[in-house]
Amino acid sequence: MAYLSDETLVLRYLDKGDQRAFRMLVERHQDRVFGYLLGMVRDRNVANDLFQDTFLRVISAMQKSRATYTHDGRWLSWVMRIARNAALDYLRSRKKWQDVSPDPGDEDAPSFWDRLPDGDYQLADSSIHELERNAFLDSCIAKLPPEQREVLLLRHDGELTFREIAEMTDVSINTALGRMRYALINLRKMMQAAGKSELSEYGSL
Amino acid sequence: MTPQLHVLLAAYDEAEVLSDGPRSHEEASIREMRVLLDARPRQSPDLSVLDAVCAAADSRPEEPGLRAERPPVRPRRSWRIARRMVGVLAACSALVWVSTAGWQLIPSTATETHPVPEQTETAHQHALETVALLEPQQMAVQTVRAAVVPARLPEVDKALAWEQEAQREELAQARIRAQQIEMRLDSLLWGEPVRTLSLEATGDLHHALVPARAGTP
């Protein structure tokens, strides 16, 4: 079967009621949406619930005559926005979402590294021997400030462009890029502190 | 946009790479982190969640593309008319039944003779046997009680007869109405406008259908 674009599948589902088209859409993007949600809430059961809630919202919005999805942008970007709202609703209900990241343009602001508890170095050092590299990387991502973690997850798991991320999170593209840069700096520092030798050849950012 | 942010964009292939020595070093560092992050295994939701989502998409209520396959509206409207007629018929039937039952419940007058049912004869015979077994004092008490019960007055009998006659007329009218409704229902065609029962009974409809004179404004 020839590759069908997201837009084609969406139109098939909306105009012809083709259920296979919708299933194909969900299967195509399930890893992106679920990876982002799992990275945000760090609980697989909660991520499953949020994934289902996200697509129920998507179905409901697509069925409405005046849906928020207006065929103007990418379908995935629209779905990721709904997933983000679902994740933020959950995190706010658990009071786990707070803005602690410094202004990316302010170099004198206290860094994320200064706010880490003292035990994190030892935790990272001991974890490197027990966990695989990817699992360790996930644990480092989980320690990032929420805004930095969100941009990184949207870029790597959601595969959105920085311009789409800026639009979705309602910030300028400079702010989105600044958050990403800080996220990478902090990740690199954590991995270097944990003894990841393969990262040292290029030095720090 | 600062050069540092531009390097970040370039490292993610969203901008052209600047030909600058130190910046290319930073770009290489970013690309290295990017490779590590992209190498993380993909996470998928549980299969049951995926099935639940697709089932929800299957059971969506409104499907614009399938609207044309729905049955036309006309049978629905005709069904409403038929249902309304059935309701009227049921009301008339109930009226007929009540009238008939009331007519049968009224005690017969002295002029009418009705055959005594078999059960009544048996009960009467049983009562005579019971009376024979009673003591003489009890018989006396029962005789006094029978004398105290007043006899029915002739005015009451007249009133009952008049009421019975009125109910018969009402019953006959109800039957005529029911027959008219049945005839109307049999000849009802699709889309024919519904005429109310009151218009049929009073005859006002005929006055309303008198044609206007030629030349009258």
Side-chain angles (χ1 to χ4, degrees):
Chain A
M1 186 175 180
Y3 179 84
L4 298 174
S5 68
D6 289 355
E7 301 304 315
T8 304
L9 293 174
V10 167
L11 288 178
R12 281 195 177 189
Y13 174 67
L14 290 179
D15 293 345
K16 300 177 181 176
D18 189 350
Q19 312 297 335
R20 291 176 302 172
F22 186 81
R23 188 177 189 95
M24 201 178 294
L25 270 174
V26 177
E27 288 177 346
R28 180 180 292 176
H29 298 298
Q30 59 174 337
D31 292 350
R32 297 181 179 91
V33 178
F34 188 77
Y36 165 74
L37 289 171
L38 185 59
M40 290 293 284
V41 300
R42 287 167 282 169
D43 184 316
R44 185 170 179 84
N45 290 329
V46 175
N48 272 318
D49 290 343
L50 292 178
F51 181 87
Q52 185 168 343
D53 185 41
T54 296
F55 276 98
L56 291 182
R57 293 187 195 187
V58 166
I59 293 167
S60 175
M62 288 174 75
Q63 288 173 1
K64 288 179 182 175
S65 57
R66 293 181 179 180
T68 53
Y69 174 65
T70 56
H71 304 265
D72 290 337
R74 288 172 64 197
W75 187 78
L76 175 62
S77 176
W78 178 70
V79 172
M80 290 299 291
R81 183 189 297 270
I82 295 176
R84 179 178 186 260
N85 289 338
L88 291 188
D89 286 346
Y90 170 78
L91 292 173
R92 281 170 181 150
S93 69
R94 301 290 302 267
K95 296 181 179 176
K96 286 185 174 180
W97 181 263
Q98 50 184 350
D99 188 358
V100 295
S101 65
D103 183 359
D106 186 4
E107 298 291 341
D108 297 329
S111 71
F112 153 77
W113 201 250
D114 297 331
R115 290 193 299 271
L116 271 181
D118 293 338
D120 280 67
Y121 282 103
Q122 294 176 355
L123 176 66
D125 196 20
S126 61
S127 298
I128 194 66
H129 302 294
E130 299 171 4
L131 304 173
E132 295 292 330
R133 184 187 60 187
N134 292 327
F136 176 73
L137 194 52
D138 283 338
S139 70
C140 293
I141 293 171
K143 293 171 188 165
L144 290 173
E147 286 82 5
Q148 294 176 21
R149 186 171 77 240
E150 181 182 45
V151 174
L152 187 140
L153 291 172
L154 286 173
R155 184 62 187 83
H156 281 276
D157 291 340
E159 297 181 6
L160 301 183
T161 65
F162 286 112
R163 198 165 298 279
E164 287 173 327
I165 294 169
E167 186 181 347
M168 178 184 299
T169 56
D170 199 21
V171 296
S172 67
I173 189 167
N174 284 354
T175 302
L177 286 169
R179 288 174 177 175
M180 184 67 185
R181 184 167 180 272
Y182 271 93
L184 294 176
I185 290 172
N186 290 327
L187 276 181
R188 189 175 186 90
K189 282 183 179 179
M190 277 189 275
M191 298 190 77
Q192 284 175 340
K196 299 293 290 180
S197 58
E198 63 265 32
L199 289 177
S200 61
E201 58 184 294
Y202 292 118
S204 60
L205 288 171
Chain B
M1 183 180 295
T2 64
Q4 291 174 328
L5 298 183
H6 185 86
V7 166
L8 184 61
L9 267 183
Y12 277 88
D13 302 325
E14 294 184 28
E16 292 183 2
V17 181
L18 297 176
S19 56
D20 188 359
R23 293 301 170 202
S24 62
H25 179 76
E26 181 170 338
E27 183 191 341
S29 181
I30 293 173
R31 284 186 184 275
E32 183 186 42
M33 286 299 299
R34 182 186 174 187
V35 169
L36 283 178
L37 289 167
D38 284 337
R40 289 179 304 138
R42 292 286 183 177
Q43 300 282 348
S44 300
D46 293 347
L47 192 59
S48 60
V49 175
L50 194 64
D51 290 339
V53 167
C54 293
D58 289 349
S59 62
R60 56 187 199 147
E62 290 294 330
E63 296 178 1
L66 302 178
R67 281 177 187 160
E69 299 175 9
R70 289 178 178 171
V73 182
R74 184 175 288 270
R76 279 187 169 183
R77 182 170 172 271
S78 62
W79 167 245
R80 281 202 301 271
I81 295 170
R83 192 170 52 186
R84 200 173 299 166
M85 286 303 196
V86 167
V88 172
L89 274 177
C92 289
S93 301
L95 182 63
V96 168
W97 185 83
V98 167
S99 301
T100 308
W103 179 58
Q104 288 180 350
L105 285 176
I106 293 174
S108 60
T109 59
T111 57
E112 291 181 340
T113 58
H114 295 285
V116 181
E118 189 177 348
Q119 289 183 351
T120 308
E121 286 182 354
T122 308
H124 181 66
Q125 189 176 358
H126 179 69
L128 289 176
E129 292 173 357
T130 307
V131 166
L133 294 175
L134 288 174
E135 295 291 333
Q137 289 180 349
Q138 291 175 339
M139 284 287 293
V141 170
Q142 297 224 350
T143 305
V144 171
R145 283 182 181 170
V148 169
V149 175
R152 206 161 62 185
L153 297 174
E155 290 80 5
V156 175
D157 289 339
K158 286 182 181 177
L160 287 175
W162 180 86
E163 192 172 328
Q164 190 175 357
E165 188 66 26
Q167 286 177 348
R168 283 180 185 169
E169 291 179 1
E170 191 177 351
L171 175 62
Q173 288 180 357
R175 283 179 178 165
I176 292 171
R177 282 187 179 185
Q179 288 174 355
Q180 288 176 345
I181 291 169
E182 285 178 354
M183 291 171 60
R184 182 65 56 195
L185 189 60
D186 291 340
S187 61
L188 188 64
L189 299 176
W190 294 123
E192 183 177 351
V194 179
R195 279 174 284 186
T196 59
L197 189 62
S198 60
L199 284 175
E200 293 289 331
T202 57
D204 291 343
L205 184 63
H206 300 294
H207 295 291
L209 292 176
V210 172
R213 295 177 185 175
T216 305

